[in-house]
Amino acid sequence: MTPLAETDDRVVALARGMRDLVQEQAAESERIRTLSAPLVDQMWASGLMSAFNPVVAGGVEPSFTEMIETWIEMAWQDGSFGWVGIANLPSSFAAAAYLPDEGFAEVFSAHDNRVTMGGQFFPNGQGIAVEGGYQLSGSWSFGSGIGHSEYVAAGFLPLDNGEMRWIGEGLPQMHVAVLPREQVSFNDGWHVQGLKGTGSYDYSVADVFVPHCRTFELFARRPHRGTSPATRMGLMPVTAAGHASWALGVAKSMLDDVQELAATKFRMSDMASLARRPTFQKGLAHHRAEWRAARLLVLDAFTVAEAAVAAGDELTPALRADMRVAAVYATDTARRCAEWAHLVAGTSSIREGTRLERAFRDMYTGTQHAFISEKVAMDAAQIWLGIIEDQPGL
Protein backbone atom coordinates (compact mmCIF):
# COMPACT_ATOMS: atom_id res chain seq x y z
CA MET A 1 0.00 0.00 0.00
CA THR A 2 1.32 3.47 -0.89
CA PRO A 3 1.85 5.56 2.28
CA LEU A 4 -0.36 8.64 2.07
CA ALA A 5 2.49 10.83 3.30
CA GLU A 6 4.46 9.93 0.19
CA THR A 7 1.71 10.77 -2.27
CA ASP A 8 3.03 12.70 -5.25
CA ASP A 9 0.54 15.54 -5.78
CA ARG A 10 1.80 16.84 -9.13
CA VAL A 11 -1.51 16.17 -10.93
CA VAL A 12 -3.60 17.22 -7.93
CA ALA A 13 -1.78 20.56 -8.10
CA LEU A 14 -2.80 20.99 -11.75
CA ALA A 15 -6.45 20.55 -10.78
CA ARG A 16 -6.12 22.79 -7.74
CA GLY A 17 -4.77 25.55 -9.94
CA MET A 18 -8.09 25.70 -11.79
CA ARG A 19 -10.26 26.60 -8.78
CA ASP A 20 -10.87 30.24 -9.66
CA LEU A 21 -11.66 29.55 -13.30
CA VAL A 22 -13.98 26.66 -12.46
CA GLN A 23 -15.92 28.84 -10.03
CA GLU A 24 -16.13 31.59 -12.62
CA GLN A 25 -17.30 29.27 -15.42
CA ALA A 26 -19.62 26.90 -13.52
CA ALA A 27 -22.81 28.77 -14.37
CA GLU A 28 -21.81 29.17 -18.02
CA SER A 29 -21.11 25.45 -18.39
CA GLU A 30 -24.57 24.74 -16.98
CA ARG A 31 -26.13 27.27 -19.35
CA ILE A 32 -24.54 25.78 -22.50
CA ARG A 33 -24.87 22.23 -21.07
CA THR A 34 -21.27 21.26 -21.77
CA LEU A 35 -17.93 22.28 -20.34
CA SER A 36 -17.13 25.85 -21.40
CA ALA A 37 -14.30 26.51 -23.86
CA PRO A 38 -12.14 28.41 -21.33
CA LEU A 39 -12.21 25.40 -19.01
CA VAL A 40 -11.35 22.92 -21.76
CA ASP A 41 -8.54 25.18 -22.98
CA GLN A 42 -7.10 25.53 -19.47
CA MET A 43 -7.24 21.79 -18.88
CA TRP A 44 -5.02 21.45 -21.95
CA ALA A 45 -2.79 24.42 -21.12
CA SER A 46 -2.13 23.08 -17.63
CA GLY A 47 -1.55 19.50 -18.77
CA LEU A 48 -4.48 18.17 -16.75
CA MET A 49 -6.47 16.83 -19.71
CA SER A 50 -3.76 14.35 -20.74
CA ALA A 51 -2.17 13.78 -17.32
CA PHE A 52 -3.56 10.26 -16.82
CA ASN A 53 -2.28 9.05 -20.20
CA PRO A 54 0.78 6.89 -20.77
CA VAL A 55 3.92 9.00 -20.99
CA VAL A 56 4.17 8.53 -24.76
CA ALA A 57 0.69 10.08 -25.05
CA GLY A 58 1.56 13.17 -23.04
CA GLY A 59 0.72 11.86 -19.59
CA VAL A 60 2.56 11.17 -16.36
CA GLU A 61 0.93 7.81 -15.45
CA PRO A 62 -0.10 8.80 -11.91
CA SER A 63 -0.66 6.31 -9.12
CA PHE A 64 -4.17 5.42 -8.02
CA THR A 65 -3.74 7.58 -4.92
CA GLU A 66 -2.95 10.57 -7.09
CA MET A 67 -5.80 9.87 -9.49
CA ILE A 68 -8.25 9.58 -6.60
CA GLU A 69 -7.10 12.79 -4.93
CA THR A 70 -7.19 14.64 -8.27
CA TRP A 71 -10.76 13.56 -8.94
CA ILE A 72 -11.84 14.49 -5.41
CA GLU A 73 -10.36 17.95 -5.93
CA MET A 74 -12.07 18.40 -9.31
CA ALA A 75 -15.47 17.27 -8.02
CA TRP A 76 -15.08 19.45 -4.91
CA GLN A 77 -14.71 22.45 -7.20
CA ASP A 78 -17.80 21.61 -9.26
CA GLY A 79 -19.74 18.44 -9.97
CA SER A 80 -19.75 18.87 -13.76
CA PHE A 81 -16.04 19.65 -13.83
CA GLY A 82 -15.37 16.57 -11.71
CA TRP A 83 -17.57 14.38 -13.91
CA VAL A 84 -15.69 15.49 -17.01
CA GLY A 85 -12.56 14.45 -15.11
CA ILE A 86 -13.85 10.91 -14.66
CA ALA A 87 -15.09 10.78 -18.28
CA ASN A 88 -12.50 12.44 -20.50
CA LEU A 89 -9.36 11.43 -18.59
CA PRO A 90 -10.08 7.66 -18.36
CA SER A 91 -11.34 7.56 -21.96
CA SER A 92 -8.09 8.91 -23.39
CA PHE A 93 -6.11 6.81 -20.88
CA ALA A 94 -7.73 3.62 -22.17
CA ALA A 95 -7.46 4.49 -25.85
CA ALA A 96 -3.83 5.56 -25.50
CA ALA A 97 -2.93 2.39 -23.60
CA TYR A 98 -4.86 -0.25 -25.56
CA LEU A 99 -5.20 0.90 -29.18
CA PRO A 100 -2.90 -0.93 -31.61
CA ASP A 101 0.08 1.05 -32.90
CA GLU A 102 -1.57 2.14 -36.16
CA GLY A 103 -4.65 3.40 -34.34
CA PHE A 104 -2.56 5.20 -31.74
CA ALA A 105 -0.61 6.95 -34.49
CA GLU A 106 -3.84 8.01 -36.22
CA VAL A 107 -5.62 9.24 -33.11
CA PHE A 108 -2.83 10.50 -30.85
CA SER A 109 0.45 11.00 -32.68
CA ALA A 110 -1.16 12.73 -35.66
CA HIS A 111 -2.68 15.30 -33.29
CA ASP A 112 0.39 15.81 -31.05
CA ASN A 113 -1.48 13.91 -28.32
CA ARG A 114 -4.08 16.68 -27.99
CA VAL A 115 -7.07 14.36 -28.00
CA THR A 116 -10.18 15.02 -25.92
CA MET A 117 -12.28 11.88 -25.75
CA GLY A 118 -15.53 10.84 -24.08
CA GLY A 119 -18.38 8.47 -24.69
CA GLN A 120 -20.21 5.38 -23.55
CA PHE A 121 -18.27 2.10 -23.26
CA PHE A 122 -21.25 -0.18 -22.66
CA PRO A 123 -21.71 -2.35 -25.81
CA ASN A 124 -24.88 -0.81 -27.20
CA GLY A 125 -23.58 -1.16 -30.75
CA GLN A 126 -23.03 -4.05 -33.13
CA GLY A 127 -19.95 -4.33 -35.31
CA ILE A 128 -20.27 -6.65 -38.30
CA ALA A 129 -16.83 -8.08 -39.02
CA VAL A 130 -15.62 -7.15 -42.52
CA GLU A 131 -12.20 -7.09 -44.14
CA GLY A 132 -9.97 -4.75 -42.14
CA GLY A 133 -12.46 -3.88 -39.43
CA TYR A 134 -16.15 -3.57 -38.59
CA GLN A 135 -19.30 -1.96 -39.97
CA LEU A 136 -20.60 -0.33 -36.81
CA SER A 137 -24.17 0.64 -35.98
CA GLY A 138 -25.72 1.53 -32.66
CA SER A 139 -27.18 4.09 -30.30
CA TRP A 140 -25.66 5.15 -27.01
CA SER A 141 -27.05 7.24 -24.15
CA PHE A 142 -25.28 9.54 -21.70
CA GLY A 143 -22.02 9.93 -23.61
CA SER A 144 -20.22 11.73 -20.80
CA GLY A 145 -17.95 14.53 -21.93
CA ILE A 146 -18.64 14.27 -25.66
CA GLY A 147 -19.99 17.80 -25.99
CA HIS A 148 -16.40 19.08 -26.24
CA SER A 149 -14.59 15.94 -27.51
CA GLU A 150 -12.87 15.44 -30.87
CA TYR A 151 -13.15 11.65 -30.56
CA VAL A 152 -16.03 9.56 -29.25
CA ALA A 153 -15.72 6.08 -27.73
CA ALA A 154 -18.51 3.59 -28.42
CA GLY A 155 -18.82 0.09 -26.99
CA PHE A 156 -19.99 -2.67 -29.31
CA LEU A 157 -20.39 -6.42 -29.78
CA PRO A 158 -18.38 -7.89 -32.70
CA LEU A 159 -20.47 -10.13 -34.96
CA ASP A 160 -19.20 -12.84 -37.31
CA ASN A 161 -21.90 -13.80 -39.81
CA GLY A 162 -24.50 -12.50 -37.39
CA GLU A 163 -23.11 -14.43 -34.42
CA MET A 164 -21.54 -12.95 -31.31
CA ARG A 165 -18.06 -13.97 -30.25
CA TRP A 166 -17.92 -15.66 -26.86
CA ILE A 167 -15.00 -15.49 -24.45
CA GLY A 168 -16.63 -17.56 -21.73
CA GLU A 169 -19.91 -19.14 -20.71
CA GLY A 170 -22.58 -16.48 -21.12
CA LEU A 171 -19.99 -13.76 -21.74
CA PRO A 172 -19.73 -12.22 -25.21
CA GLN A 173 -16.63 -10.42 -26.43
CA MET A 174 -16.97 -6.66 -26.06
CA HIS A 175 -14.97 -4.04 -27.92
CA VAL A 176 -14.67 -0.26 -27.96
CA ALA A 177 -14.50 1.79 -31.15
CA VAL A 178 -12.81 5.19 -31.27
CA LEU A 179 -14.67 7.44 -33.71
CA PRO A 180 -13.84 10.88 -35.11
CA ARG A 181 -16.53 13.33 -34.10
CA GLU A 182 -17.63 13.95 -37.69
CA GLN A 183 -18.70 10.29 -38.06
CA VAL A 184 -21.14 10.52 -35.14
CA SER A 185 -24.75 11.77 -35.06
CA PHE A 186 -25.63 13.59 -31.84
CA ASN A 187 -29.00 13.81 -30.17
CA ASP A 188 -28.67 16.65 -27.68
CA GLY A 189 -31.18 15.38 -25.16
CA TRP A 190 -29.03 16.50 -22.26
CA HIS A 191 -31.76 18.39 -20.39
CA VAL A 192 -31.32 17.01 -16.90
CA GLN A 193 -31.54 17.75 -13.19
CA GLY A 194 -27.82 17.79 -12.44
CA LEU A 195 -24.42 17.50 -14.09
CA LYS A 196 -25.79 19.91 -16.66
CA GLY A 197 -22.34 21.10 -17.74
CA THR A 198 -20.97 17.73 -18.85
CA GLY A 199 -22.19 17.57 -22.46
CA SER A 200 -23.35 13.98 -21.95
CA TYR A 201 -25.35 13.72 -25.17
CA ASP A 202 -26.99 10.67 -26.71
CA TYR A 203 -25.41 9.65 -30.00
CA SER A 204 -25.59 7.09 -32.79
CA VAL A 205 -23.85 5.75 -35.87
CA ALA A 206 -25.26 3.81 -38.80
CA ASP A 207 -23.11 1.43 -40.85
CA VAL A 208 -19.84 3.29 -40.23
CA PHE A 209 -16.62 1.49 -41.09
CA VAL A 210 -14.16 1.32 -38.18
CA PRO A 211 -10.72 -0.23 -38.85
CA HIS A 212 -9.41 -2.83 -36.42
CA CYS A 213 -6.67 -0.42 -35.38
CA ARG A 214 -9.21 1.98 -33.87
CA THR A 215 -10.78 -0.66 -31.64
CA PHE A 216 -9.72 -2.44 -28.46
CA GLU A 217 -11.23 -5.00 -26.08
CA LEU A 218 -13.31 -3.51 -23.28
CA PHE A 219 -11.66 -5.65 -20.60
CA ALA A 220 -8.11 -5.31 -21.97
CA ARG A 221 -5.30 -5.48 -19.40
CA ARG A 222 -2.30 -5.88 -21.67
CA PRO A 223 -1.28 -2.36 -22.68
CA HIS A 224 0.53 -1.47 -25.86
CA ARG A 225 1.79 1.59 -24.04
CA GLY A 226 2.38 2.64 -20.44
CA THR A 227 4.22 1.02 -17.56
CA SER A 228 2.07 1.97 -14.56
CA PRO A 229 0.13 -0.76 -12.74
CA ALA A 230 -3.10 1.01 -13.77
CA THR A 231 -2.47 0.17 -17.43
CA ARG A 232 -2.24 -3.53 -16.44
CA MET A 233 -5.43 -3.34 -14.37
CA GLY A 234 -7.79 -2.22 -17.13
CA LEU A 235 -10.51 0.37 -17.54
CA MET A 236 -12.92 -1.07 -14.94
CA PRO A 237 -10.80 -0.26 -11.84
CA VAL A 238 -9.93 3.20 -13.18
CA THR A 239 -13.61 3.91 -13.82
CA ALA A 240 -14.57 2.62 -10.37
CA ALA A 241 -11.97 4.82 -8.71
CA GLY A 242 -13.36 7.76 -10.67
CA HIS A 243 -16.95 7.22 -9.55
CA ALA A 244 -15.94 6.84 -5.91
CA SER A 245 -13.73 9.92 -5.99
CA TRP A 246 -16.34 12.02 -7.77
CA ALA A 247 -18.99 11.28 -5.14
CA LEU A 248 -16.53 11.95 -2.31
CA GLY A 249 -15.51 15.26 -3.87
CA VAL A 250 -19.06 16.55 -4.29
CA ALA A 251 -19.97 15.47 -0.76
CA LYS A 252 -16.89 17.21 0.65
CA SER A 253 -17.86 20.45 -1.06
CA MET A 254 -21.25 20.32 0.65
CA LEU A 255 -19.79 19.48 4.06
CA ASP A 256 -17.27 22.30 3.71
CA ASP A 257 -19.89 24.80 2.56
CA VAL A 258 -22.37 23.99 5.31
CA GLN A 259 -19.62 24.19 7.93
CA GLU A 260 -18.70 27.66 6.68
CA LEU A 261 -22.35 28.66 6.57
CA ALA A 262 -23.04 27.47 10.12
CA ALA A 263 -21.53 30.48 11.90
CA THR A 264 -23.93 32.92 10.23
CA LYS A 265 -26.96 30.70 9.62
CA PHE A 266 -29.99 31.27 11.88
CA ARG A 267 -33.18 29.30 11.44
CA MET A 268 -36.54 31.00 11.98
CA SER A 269 -37.47 31.28 15.68
CA ASP A 270 -34.04 30.01 16.75
CA MET A 271 -31.79 32.44 18.63
CA ALA A 272 -28.69 30.27 18.25
CA SER A 273 -26.67 30.01 15.07
CA LEU A 274 -26.49 26.66 13.32
CA ALA A 275 -22.93 26.24 14.58
CA ARG A 276 -24.14 26.54 18.19
CA ARG A 277 -26.77 23.85 17.92
CA PRO A 278 -25.66 20.54 19.51
CA THR A 279 -27.55 18.49 16.95
CA PHE A 280 -25.63 20.21 14.15
CA GLN A 281 -22.33 19.69 15.93
CA LYS A 282 -23.06 15.98 16.38
CA GLY A 283 -24.18 15.63 12.75
CA LEU A 284 -21.12 17.43 11.42
CA ALA A 285 -18.77 15.26 13.46
CA HIS A 286 -20.54 12.09 12.36
CA HIS A 287 -20.67 12.88 8.66
CA ARG A 288 -17.10 14.17 8.47
CA ALA A 289 -15.90 10.99 10.15
CA GLU A 290 -18.03 8.86 7.84
CA TRP A 291 -16.62 10.71 4.82
CA ARG A 292 -13.02 10.22 5.96
CA ALA A 293 -13.61 6.53 6.59
CA ALA A 294 -15.03 6.08 3.08
CA ARG A 295 -12.07 7.91 1.54
CA LEU A 296 -9.59 5.72 3.42
CA LEU A 297 -11.45 2.57 2.34
CA VAL A 298 -11.21 3.66 -1.30
CA LEU A 299 -7.52 4.46 -1.00
CA ASP A 300 -6.85 1.14 0.72
CA ALA A 301 -8.76 -1.03 -1.76
CA PHE A 302 -7.22 0.53 -4.84
CA THR A 303 -3.64 0.83 -3.57
CA VAL A 304 -3.62 -2.76 -2.29
CA ALA A 305 -4.66 -4.01 -5.74
CA GLU A 306 -2.20 -1.63 -7.40
CA ALA A 307 0.65 -2.91 -5.22
CA ALA A 308 -0.21 -6.52 -6.05
CA VAL A 309 -0.09 -5.82 -9.79
CA ALA A 310 3.13 -3.81 -9.41
CA ALA A 311 4.69 -6.84 -7.72
CA GLY A 312 3.73 -9.03 -10.67
CA ASP A 313 0.77 -10.74 -9.02
CA GLU A 314 -2.54 -11.45 -10.73
CA LEU A 315 -5.39 -8.98 -10.40
CA THR A 316 -7.70 -11.54 -8.81
CA PRO A 317 -11.50 -11.44 -8.85
CA ALA A 318 -11.39 -10.81 -5.08
CA LEU A 319 -9.19 -7.73 -5.50
CA ARG A 320 -11.46 -6.41 -8.23
CA ALA A 321 -14.49 -7.05 -6.02
CA ASP A 322 -12.83 -5.14 -3.17
CA MET A 323 -12.33 -2.10 -5.39
CA ARG A 324 -15.87 -2.09 -6.74
CA VAL A 325 -17.42 -2.51 -3.29
CA ALA A 326 -15.30 0.37 -2.00
CA ALA A 327 -16.65 2.52 -4.85
CA VAL A 328 -20.26 1.59 -4.06
CA TYR A 329 -19.76 2.20 -0.34
CA ALA A 330 -18.10 5.57 -0.94
CA THR A 331 -20.97 6.59 -3.21
CA ASP A 332 -23.60 5.58 -0.66
CA THR A 333 -21.71 7.40 2.08
CA ALA A 334 -21.31 10.53 -0.03
CA ARG A 335 -25.03 10.57 -0.78
CA ARG A 336 -25.86 10.40 2.93
CA CYS A 337 -23.45 13.26 3.66
CA ALA A 338 -24.99 15.34 0.88
CA GLU A 339 -28.53 14.71 2.12
CA TRP A 340 -27.58 15.79 5.64
CA ALA A 341 -25.80 18.94 4.46
CA HIS A 342 -28.77 19.86 2.27
CA LEU A 343 -31.21 19.46 5.14
CA VAL A 344 -29.28 21.36 7.80
CA ALA A 345 -28.55 24.26 5.42
CA GLY A 346 -32.27 24.93 5.16
CA THR A 347 -33.33 27.43 2.54
CA SER A 348 -29.70 28.30 1.82
CA SER A 349 -29.42 25.01 -0.06
CA ILE A 350 -32.31 25.63 -2.43
CA ARG A 351 -31.29 28.94 -3.96
CA GLU A 352 -30.35 28.54 -7.62
CA GLY A 353 -26.75 29.19 -8.49
CA THR A 354 -25.23 28.37 -5.11
CA ARG A 355 -22.64 25.62 -4.80
CA LEU A 356 -24.82 23.79 -2.29
CA GLU A 357 -27.82 23.76 -4.61
CA ARG A 358 -25.79 22.71 -7.64
CA ALA A 359 -23.84 20.06 -5.74
CA PHE A 360 -27.05 18.50 -4.39
CA ARG A 361 -28.51 18.23 -7.89
CA ASP A 362 -25.24 16.84 -9.20
CA MET A 363 -25.02 14.23 -6.43
CA TYR A 364 -28.47 12.86 -7.07
CA THR A 365 -27.82 12.70 -10.80
CA GLY A 366 -24.34 11.16 -10.73
CA THR A 367 -25.22 8.49 -8.19
CA GLN A 368 -27.91 7.07 -10.48
CA HIS A 369 -25.16 5.56 -12.62
CA ALA A 370 -25.34 1.79 -13.08
CA PHE A 371 -21.61 1.43 -12.46
CA ILE A 372 -22.11 1.90 -8.73
CA SER A 373 -25.51 0.20 -8.39
CA GLU A 374 -26.51 -2.39 -5.81
CA LYS A 375 -25.98 -5.15 -8.39
CA VAL A 376 -22.25 -4.43 -8.28
CA ALA A 377 -22.22 -5.06 -4.52
CA MET A 378 -24.15 -8.30 -5.00
CA ASP A 379 -21.74 -9.50 -7.71
CA ALA A 380 -18.82 -8.82 -5.38
CA ALA A 381 -20.49 -10.61 -2.48
CA GLN A 382 -21.10 -13.67 -4.66
CA ILE A 383 -17.37 -13.82 -5.39
CA TRP A 384 -16.52 -13.59 -1.69
CA LEU A 385 -19.11 -16.28 -0.91
CA GLY A 386 -17.81 -18.62 -3.58
CA ILE A 387 -21.12 -18.62 -5.46
CA ILE A 388 -19.38 -17.47 -8.63
CA GLU A 389 -15.69 -17.56 -9.55
CA ASP A 390 -15.55 -14.30 -11.44
CA GLN A 391 -17.54 -11.44 -12.87
CA PRO A 392 -15.48 -9.87 -15.69
CA GLY A 393 -17.44 -6.63 -15.48
CA LEU A 394 -16.01 -5.87 -12.04
Side-chain angles (χ1 to χ4, degrees):
M1 179 175 173
T2 303
L4 297 184
E6 298 177 9
T7 299
D8 185 344
D9 67 351
R10 55 194 163 166
V11 183
V12 183
L14 299 179
R16 195 176 295 124
M18 294 193 61
R19 284 186 175 186
D20 290 344
L21 184 61
V22 170
Q23 182 178 1
E24 173 192 310
Q25 293 289 316
E28 176 64 8
S29 291
E30 286 220 329
R31 186 187 71 80
I32 64 176
R33 292 176 297 109
T34 191
L35 205 64
S36 69
L39 283 175
V40 176
D41 291 345
Q42 185 57 31
M43 288 180 74
W44 278 111
S46 68
L48 179 60
M49 188 71 87
S50 60
F52 287 17
N53 288 357
V55 171
V56 70
V60 298
E61 303 188 31
S63 67
F64 264 99
T65 296
E66 192 171 4
M67 286 191 282
I68 288 164
E69 298 294 4
T70 299
W71 280 320
I72 290 175
E73 168 65 26
M74 294 177 72
W76 177 88
Q77 293 177 35
D78 176 64
S80 288
F81 181 57
W83 195 266
V84 163
I86 71 169
N88 290 151
L89 275 58
S91 295
S92 61
F93 156 86
Y98 304 123
L99 280 177
D101 288 345
E102 186 179 349
F104 177 81
E106 178 184 342
V107 175
F108 287 89
S109 301
H111 299 95
D112 296 324
N113 295 323
R114 188 183 172 96
V115 178
T116 308
M117 188 179 303
Q120 170 61 264
F121 287 75
F122 191 80
N124 282 338
Q126 294 185 337
I128 299 172
V130 296
E131 184 176 357
Y134 302 94
Q135 292 296 135
L136 178 65
S137 297
S139 297
W140 296 263
S141 298
F142 308 125
S144 296
I146 61 176
H148 52 270
S149 296
E150 295 89 10
Y151 279 88
V152 177
F156 71 96
L157 299 171
L159 301 179
D160 296 310
N161 298 317
E163 298 291 331
M164 290 189 292
R165 300 171 184 173
W166 299 91
I167 58 176
E169 185 176 350
L171 182 66
Q173 193 175 91
M174 305 177 200
H175 283 208
V176 178
V178 175
L179 306 168
R181 185 179 187 87
E182 57 269 19
Q183 291 185 340
V184 178
S185 297
F186 296 93
N187 173 19
D188 180 10
W190 192 238
H191 298 273
V192 286
Q193 177 186 36
L195 296 179
K196 292 175 180 286
T198 60
S200 302
Y201 307 150
D202 297 345
Y203 60 104
S204 62
V205 298
D207 200 29
V208 169
F209 176 73
V210 185
H212 283 299
C213 67
R214 276 200 279 108
T215 69
F216 59 90
E217 291 191 29
L218 178 59
F219 300 137
R221 294 195 195 113
R222 294 181 180 177
H224 293 283
R225 267 141 250 112
T227 60
S228 70
T231 62
R232 302 195 302 279
M233 294 169 70
L235 184 57
M236 297 301 107
V238 174
T239 303
H243 278 278
S245 307
W246 178 85
L248 288 171
V250 175
K252 185 176 187 296
S253 80
M254 296 188 71
L255 292 175
D256 289 349
D257 286 359
V258 81
Q259 179 174 318
E260 181 179 354
L261 174 70
T264 57
K265 177 69 176 180
F266 290 82
R267 302 299 297 269
M268 187 177 295
S269 302
D270 195 338
M271 299 301 293
S273 69
L274 190 60
R276 296 288 183 177
R277 294 172 60 184
T279 52
F280 174 80
Q281 295 165 3
K282 172 62 169 60
L284 181 66
H286 172 81
H287 287 93
R288 281 214 175 274
E290 191 175 26
W291 184 93
R292 291 179 65 183
R295 170 183 169 272
L296 289 173
L297 173 64
V298 170
L299 287 167
D300 179 72
F302 284 88
T303 56
V304 165
E306 180 182 42
V309 172
D313 296 336
E314 180 186 356
L315 184 64
T316 63
L319 285 172
R320 292 181 2 249
D322 287 349
M323 289 185 284
R324 290 298 293 277
V325 166
V328 172
Y329 179 80
T331 300
D332 291 344
T333 298
R335 191 188 298 113
R336 288 194 296 271
C337 291
E339 181 181 18
W340 175 81
H342 183 266
L343 286 172
V344 297
T347 55
S348 297
S349 64
I350 65 171
R351 297 193 181 277
E352 289 186 355
T354 64
R355 259 175 42 117
L356 272 170
E357 183 266 343
R358 187 168 61 246
F360 186 73
R361 287 189 287 105
D362 290 344
M363 177 66 76
Y364 275 84
T365 300
T367 56
Q368 294 284 5
H369 203 286
F371 204 83
I372 32 77
S373 69
E374 64 178 10
K375 182 183 183 304
V376 175
M378 292 186 288
D379 287 343
Q382 289 182 40
I383 288 174
W384 294 337
L385 292 166
I387 296 174
I388 59 176
E389 291 186 5
D390 195 4
Q391 169 54 268
L394 289 176

